[in-house]
């Protein structure tokens, strides 16, 4: 079979299946956004109900890790859906607790990235073990003996071997092919992998991607009346960071799960990035959550179908040059993003966690114009010197609404530390009044 740079040039069916998987992921995320009850029926209810099945059927094939990911994603999808529903029904409280919305989403996001970084580093240090296993026929046989599915037959290294299937001679021939191509295999999972310094490059890119997550205190919901379908908006998750994440995630998965990347990076990442760059700007976190939930559920509910080798898979080339290029591009972009992140913090004197950082980007301006009313426009900007009008957000009024939303971070106590300029009064949030928070009458509108 001929090979490309990242993947083999597979049969027509793998391209047709790719289109179906790609479209299904976007469709499910859209359904979950338009009809929120589907989240709790499908992912919370059915997801929990099928956990015993996923463990019994899936764990003997690919081990505990994918099941653990499945449990984590059920919890994450439920939480993300709950945040959107809560934000729609309790707008004042949702804005008061916007920082905590961000913290919850940040924990899920960063924990996922750091988990991957640890895996990358582990592969680097265990590379020799993986190469040794792949070159040892007994190790290959043990992988098959300890998994419920055949993990070796069907792999590219098993093609063209004429010896009797699963005989010692057959395993020896497969091991020789692995040795000749210098490809390793993880004895615990049966996944092909090659380890090298590119693992450390992508781990560093992942660390930088964690550091440059911004805008935790500005997680909001589309203002009522602005859009027919209201979404969960992480306004500061704009294209520089999204591309940095995509490049890192692809590099990591190509290092760790190369034979899965035809779907779990090319299809999965595009299924959340394309909406975030077109009709769902500001909602990358939503599409990332529910496209990933779809794929992880499919993987656990149909393990024999989703685990290679199988009819739906397009194998990676296992070319170390591809690993180096992917990791190098991911690291270069994340280093550039880190530099831009530092510039924005220092030049504008903004806190990248409690406040948004990328107010001046065109995409940020577009998100605010399309999804936010004056209440949210002034909420987003009440802790910076610039006004919505100065940033090009096109507010209906040059004064913040008296019934708008108030930023108040937990550690401020009874102080109002918003930027000294016209702002929504503390009285707009009865909960803050009850806590004894006092605003500055010189700046509060009436």
């Amino acid at each position: 079979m001929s090979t490309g740079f990242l993947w083999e040039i597979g049969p027509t069916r793998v391209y047709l299946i790719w289109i179906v998987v790609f479209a299904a992921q976007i469709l499910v995320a859209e359904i979950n956004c338009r009809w929120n009850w589907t989240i709790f029926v499908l992912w919370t209810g059915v997801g929990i109900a099928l956990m015993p099945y996923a463990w019994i059927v899936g764990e003997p094939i690919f081990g505990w890790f994918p099941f653990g990911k499945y449990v984590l994603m059920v919890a994450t999808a439920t939480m993300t859906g709950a945040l959107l529903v809560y934000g729609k029904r309790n707008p004042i409280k949702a804005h008061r607790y916007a920082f905590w919305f961000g913290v919850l989403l940040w924990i899920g996001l960063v924990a996922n990235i750091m988990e991957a970084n640890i895996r990358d580093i582990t592969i680097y240090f265990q590379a020799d073990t993986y190469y040794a296993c792949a070159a040892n026929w007994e190790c290959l046989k043990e992988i098959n003996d300890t998994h419920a599915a055949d993990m070796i037959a069907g792999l590219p290294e098993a093609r063209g071997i004429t010896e009797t299937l699963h005989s010692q001679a057959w395993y020896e021939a497969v091991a020789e092919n692995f040795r000749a191509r210098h490809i390793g295999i993880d004895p615990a999972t049966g996944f092909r992998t090659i380890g090298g310094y590119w693992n450390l490059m992508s781990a560093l890119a992942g660390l930088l991607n964690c550091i440059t997550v911004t805008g935790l205190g500005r997680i909001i919901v589309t203002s009522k009346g602005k859009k027919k379908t209201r979404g969960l908006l992480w306004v500061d998750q704009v294209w520089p960071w999204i591309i940095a994440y995509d490049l890192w995630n692809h590099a990591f998965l190509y290092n760790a799960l190369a034979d899965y990347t035809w779907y779990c990076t090319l299809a999965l990442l595009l299924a959340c990035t394309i909406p975030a760059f077109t009709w769902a700007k500001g909602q990358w976190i939503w599409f990332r959550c529910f496209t990933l939930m779809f794929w992880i559920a499919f993987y656990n509910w149909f393990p024999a179908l989703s685990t290679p080798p199988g009819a739906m898979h397009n194998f990676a080339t296992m070319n170390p040059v591809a690993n180096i290029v992917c990791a190098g591009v991911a690291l270069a972009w994340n280093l550039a993003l880190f530099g831009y992140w530092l510039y924005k913090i220092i030049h504008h004197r903004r806190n990248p966690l409690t406040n948004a950082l990328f107010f001046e980007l065109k995409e940020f301006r577009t998100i605010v114009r399309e999804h936010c009313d004056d209440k949210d426009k002034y909420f987003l900007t009440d802790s910076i010197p610039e006004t919505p009008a100065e940033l090009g957000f096109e507010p209906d009024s040059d004064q913040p609404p008296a019934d708008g939303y108030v930023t108040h971070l937990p550690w401020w106590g009874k102080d109002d530390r918003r930027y000294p300029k016209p702002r929504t009064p503390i009285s707009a949030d009865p909960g803050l009044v009850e806590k004894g928070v006092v605003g500055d009458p010189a700046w509060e509108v009436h």
Side-chain angles (χ1 to χ4, degrees), residues 82-95:
L83 290 179
L84 177 57
V85 172
Y86 186 86
K88 289 179 179 179
R89 296 182 178 179
N90 304 279
I92 293 177
K93 290 182 178 179
H95 285 77

Side-chain angles (χ1 to χ4, degrees), residues 147-426:
H147 289 75
D150 190 336
M151 306 297 289
I152 307 300
L155 290 177
E157 290 73 23
R159 294 173 185 156
I161 295 176
T162 58
E163 282 79 2
T164 303
L165 182 66
H166 297 150
S167 65
Q168 179 176 332
W170 182 84
Y171 278 114
E172 288 175 344
V174 175
E176 179 55 35
N177 285 342
F178 270 108
R179 184 185 301 109
R181 297 185 62 193
H182 195 55
I183 294 173
I185 194 165
D186 183 346
T189 62
F191 299 158
R192 297 191 306 161
T193 186
I194 52 177
Y197 62 85
W198 45 86
N199 294 103
L200 301 182
M201 292 168 65
S202 62
L204 178 55
L207 178 61
L208 292 170
N209 202 242
C210 289
I211 294 172
T212 52
V213 174
T214 61
L216 273 63
R218 302 297 168 184
I219 309 294
I220 59 175
V221 172
T222 299
S223 304
K224 190 174 182 179
K226 293 293 290 186
K227 291 281 187 178
K228 183 177 180 181
T229 300
R230 302 172 68 190
L232 186 68
L233 302 175
W234 193 328
V235 191
D236 223 29
Q237 267 186 348
V238 285
W239 68 266
W241 188 88
I242 293 173
I243 292 176
Y245 178 93
D246 285 355
L247 291 173
W248 159 77
N249 191 251
H250 170 74
F252 156 68
L253 287 167
Y254 201 78
N255 288 341
L257 302 170
D259 288 332
Y260 291 80
T261 53
W262 178 244
Y263 297 104
C264 70
T265 62
L266 185 61
L268 185 55
L269 290 176
L270 286 177
C272 55
T273 298
I274 289 176
F277 282 6
T278 52
W279 72 87
K281 287 183 172 66
Q283 299 175 65
W284 178 88
I285 193 66
W286 181 273
F287 279 83
R288 177 58 178 166
C289 175
F290 290 100
T291 55
L292 183 58
M293 179 73 255
F294 170 88
W295 177 251
I296 295 296
F298 174 81
Y299 187 79
N300 278 270
W301 293 349
F302 306 100
L305 179 63
S306 59
T307 302
M312 69 179 290
H313 288 91
N314 195 19
F315 291 101
T317 60
M318 306 306 289
N319 178 359
V321 176
N323 295 76
I324 295 167
V325 170
C326 292
V329 172
L331 180 56
W333 189 282
N334 275 278
L335 282 169
L337 174 63
F338 180 71
Y340 183 52
W341 176 83
L342 281 176
Y343 164 76
K344 296 291 285 186
I345 293 171
I346 296 170
H347 180 74
H348 293 285
R349 297 184 180 181
R350 292 173 185 159
N351 187 317
L353 296 181
T354 60
N355 201 5
L357 198 62
F358 302 115
F359 287 101
E360 289 77 18
L361 283 186
K362 180 181 178 181
E363 183 184 354
F364 193 108
R365 186 164 59 248
T366 300
I367 294 168
V368 174
R369 285 175 177 173
E370 294 182 356
H371 290 272
C372 298
D373 60 13
D374 273 15
K375 291 183 179 182
D376 275 316
K377 290 175 182 178
Y378 281 96
F379 170 77
L380 289 171
T381 59
D382 67 6
S383 294
I384 62 173
E386 297 83 1
T387 66
E390 291 171 340
L391 291 168
F393 295 166
E394 301 179 356
D396 295 329
S397 171
D398 61 359
Q399 291 290 310
D403 61 344
Y405 305 118
V406 179
T407 297
H408 190 270
L409 298 171
W411 52 89
W412 288 0
K414 296 182 179 181
D415 297 331
D416 182 2
R417 300 184 189 176
R418 292 175 292 169
Y419 193 82
K421 64 179 182 181
R423 58 201 184 197
T424 296
I426 294 293

